Amino acid sequence: WTATLIDENLLNDGSPPTTWSDAATELGASESRVWQLPGTESQNFTWGYTVDPPLAGLLDRPLVTRDWLPLGSPAMMDHLFAADDRWQNGTADPQMVAPIARLLGADTIWLSRDAASSRFHTATPDSVAAVLDDAPGLRVTTDNEAVTLYSVEQFPGVVRSAATEVLLSGSGDGVVDAASAGLLTGDEAIRYTADLDATALREAAARRAPLIV
């Protein structure tokens, strides 16, 4: 017994650099979300091990990021975890990024270039950047040694009406796969077939709603 109450790994400065504060200020206040990458449940950076996401305390807008607890609806978390798993296992596709960001209600992607990925063997900032830089529908608005911000073009808004209905037999993984295949743009109304009864399925078929299996 060391007669201490706090793990020494948690005794660190944990203060984000001014480049973070500047980037957060640049984004301003909005209802649109910011999608932070790379995802990690216990956030660790070259300047400190914060565990909880420090970006949430800097932004004046909602944050979307991987965490220990689900911070959204089941469908949204299913989409987020399915997309984040692609980053972690090295199979993320540039084509999927903008559509998934739009579905998550994020008009900005925040790349933490100072994430310390070696501690938990998470996706490296360089590997994530390589995909984001090739992703259609993104535009770099800020780039420094700690943060790169990507604006999501043709963002439909957090609350939107959809002119296109898509039926999907699957889960969040199916949504990500469909986006990678170019079958989704991110402004559709996606309905899981498992949520529909026979009558609703027949009505959707009568409307010639596309079906993705």
Side-chain angles (χ1 to χ4, degrees), residues 110-150:
W110 177 296
L111 173 60
S112 302
R113 289 194 171 275
D114 49 7
S117 57
S118 60
R119 184 184 184 96
F120 299 113
H121 303 288
T122 53
T124 65
D126 286 346
S127 68
V128 175
V131 177
L132 295 177
D133 289 343
D134 287 339
L138 300 185
R139 177 173 54 86
V140 175
T141 57
T142 295
D143 190 21
N144 57 55
E145 68 278 5
V147 177
T148 300
L149 299 181
Y150 298 82

Side-chain angles (χ1 to χ4, degrees), residues 26 43 51 105 120 126 147 164 181 193:
E26 177 185 330
Q43 299 215 351
V51 184
F120 299 113
D126 286 346
V147 177
T164 304
T193 56

Side-chain angles (χ1 to χ4, degrees), residues 31-114:
E31 294 182 355
S32 300
R33 299 165 181 148
V34 176
W35 183 13
Q36 184 186 17
L37 294 170
T40 177
E41 283 87 356
S42 296
Q43 299 215 351
N44 188 40
F45 304 94
T46 57
W47 42 263
Y49 176 36
T50 63
V51 184
D52 293 324
L55 186 54
L58 297 177
L59 292 173
D60 286 326
R61 50 165 68 193
L63 174 66
V64 177
T65 189
R66 188 166 193 142
D67 206 336
W68 285 108
L69 299 175
L71 303 177
S73 68
M76 181 176 181
M77 291 299 96
D78 192 30
H79 293 172
L80 175 62
F81 284 3
D84 193 73
D85 284 346
R86 301 301 205 280
W87 300 109
Q88 304 303 334
N89 61 30
T91 60
D93 180 84
Q95 185 68 39
M96 81 179 202
V97 181
I100 295 300
R102 297 182 189 116
L103 288 172
L104 292 173
D107 68 349
T108 302
I109 296 175
W110 177 296
L111 173 60
S112 302
R113 289 194 171 275
D114 49 7

Side-chain angles (χ1 to χ4, degrees), residues 114-197:
D114 49 7
S117 57
S118 60
R119 184 184 184 96
F120 299 113
H121 303 288
T122 53
T124 65
D126 286 346
S127 68
V128 175
V131 177
L132 295 177
D133 289 343
D134 287 339
L138 300 185
R139 177 173 54 86
V140 175
T141 57
T142 295
D143 190 21
N144 57 55
E145 68 278 5
V147 177
T148 300
L149 299 181
Y150 298 82
S151 176
V152 180
E153 298 177 345
Q154 298 179 337
F155 178 66
V158 177
V159 179
R160 81 288 295 266
S161 60
T164 304
E165 174 188 21
V166 174
L167 304 181
L168 190 140
S169 292
S171 62
D173 285 301
V175 173
V176 175
D177 288 340
S180 294
L183 300 177
L184 298 175
T185 61
D187 59 358
E188 304 89 347
I190 300 175
R191 305 179 71 190
Y192 287 146
T193 56
D195 293 334
L196 306 178
D197 58 21

